[in-house]
Amino acid sequence: MTTAAEKRILLVEDDDDIADLLELHLTDAGHAVDVVGDGDDGLARALTEAYDLIVLDIMLPGTDGFDICRRLRQEKCPTPILMVTAKTEEVDKVLGLELGADDYITKPFSIREVLARVKALFRRVEVDQDVHAEADETPIELGKVVVEPEKRKVTVEGEAVDLTSKEFELLLLFARHPGRAFSRDELLDEVWGYQYSGYSHTVNTHINRLRNKIEPDPSEPRYVKTVWGVGYRFAEREELAARDA
């Protein structure tokens, strides 16, 4: 990552007027901005070059913003994504979140709002980096699940499991606090950020996907337990040891 005054932003926007306006103000804010007008070029640039933020329109010629976001997260690209669209339907916002977007803004918007969200995303990345730097990076072993924070690697019974960024962050949060019950709002705040309060179904979707990848029988979870009326928790070591005995 570059310093605060040297953030590099990829702007994928096919509306020339909006692209010019955003480029002007983001540049004035001290950022280096690369502007791309179609989805295919945007995806190629995002996969091959290093950026601190991707500002991504959804309705694009070529590959659309949803597919770009999906592909980047499949390729384990950790760059924050701010999705921009003229659509206002909640289903579009939810889909963007579930695909791995970090924030969402709807046209028409004010430049001040865009700059505030960009600043908040950069600040969140800095806080996450500080937390990760201070956190114990020792592998966490819970039953037959092993989480390696530094490598962002998960194995179950010795076999590597392919998790998305958000699935890994959920599992790591659970693994660091076995037995603690988290509400859906707490999980949204910790993993997605406070701005997603109210999208509890996003948590449910990710929990189901996580269970399908790490549980021997997802219909009877051994690791990620439902706490009725509250949310979810990870099984305590004693529970897992008793089952393995």
Side-chain angles (χ1 to χ4, degrees):
M1 289 290 181
T2 50
T3 65
E6 302 172 327
K7 299 298 186 185
R8 191 174 180 211
I9 299 174
L10 174 63
L11 171 59
V12 189
E13 169 62 65
D14 66 322
D15 186 310
D16 291 339
D17 291 336
I18 293 176
D20 290 345
L21 185 64
L22 288 173
E23 181 184 18
L24 173 64
H25 287 277
L26 290 170
T27 301
D28 284 347
H31 308 305
V33 183
D34 290 343
V35 181
V36 174
D38 70 87
D40 295 337
D41 192 14
L43 177 59
R45 296 281 286 273
L47 287 173
T48 58
E49 300 187 38
Y51 291 97
D52 298 285
L53 174 67
I54 299 169
V55 180
L56 179 63
D57 193 14
I58 290 179
M59 302 302 293
L60 294 165
T63 307
D64 69 28
F66 288 138
D67 285 337
I68 292 174
C69 186
R70 180 187 294 109
R71 175 70 183 281
L72 292 177
R73 295 321 187 211
Q74 287 175 343
E75 297 294 329
K76 302 297 188 296
C77 174
T79 306
I81 296 174
L82 172 61
M83 300 200 84
V84 183
T85 181
K87 293 187 176 182
T88 58
E89 292 86 351
E90 183 176 352
V91 65
D92 294 311
K93 297 180 182 180
V94 172
L95 180 57
L97 304 185
E98 292 185 352
L99 291 176
D102 295 271
D103 203 353
Y104 195 111
I105 192 166
T106 303
K107 301 173 185 175
F109 48 76
S110 72
I111 288 298
R112 289 181 63 182
E113 182 182 8
V114 174
L115 294 177
R117 288 176 181 259
V118 168
K119 183 177 181 180
L121 282 172
F122 285 148
R123 177 56 186 155
R124 183 180 169 196
V125 169
E126 292 171 1
V127 170
D128 288 346
Q129 289 174 338
D130 290 342
V131 169
H132 291 156
E134 295 173 0
D136 183 1
E137 295 299 309
T138 303
I140 304 168
E141 185 171 351
L142 293 162
K144 297 180 180 180
V145 175
V146 179
V147 183
E148 299 181 61
E150 188 172 9
K151 296 180 180 179
R152 294 184 70 85
K153 179 181 178 182
V154 175
T155 57
V156 178
E157 297 188 21
E159 296 291 327
V161 178
D162 186 22
L163 300 182
T164 66
S165 175
K166 295 305 182 187
E167 290 165 356
F168 179 84
E169 289 173 24
L170 268 176
L171 180 57
L172 180 59
L173 179 64
F174 283 134
R176 283 176 169 161
H177 304 89
R180 174 182 167 183
F182 289 90
S183 71
R184 291 169 178 81
D185 283 343
E186 286 176 320
L187 293 173
L188 279 169
D189 190 19
E190 293 284 345
V191 177
W192 282 267
Y194 69 90
Q195 67 268 36
Y196 295 135
S197 178
Y199 289 100
S200 59
H201 38 298
T202 297
V203 173
N204 298 342
T205 299
H206 280 75
I207 291 292
N208 289 336
R209 291 175 181 170
L210 181 60
R211 282 173 169 166
N212 285 331
K213 293 180 179 181
I214 70 169
E215 298 282 1
D217 181 1
S219 66
E220 295 185 10
R222 176 183 182 184
Y223 298 107
V224 183
K225 305 282 190 177
T226 299
V227 182
W228 299 108
V230 180
Y232 302 96
R233 70 176 180 87
F234 202 89
E236 297 183 74
R237 287 184 170 84
E238 292 78 7
E239 295 177 77
L240 297 172
R243 291 195 60 164
D244 290 338

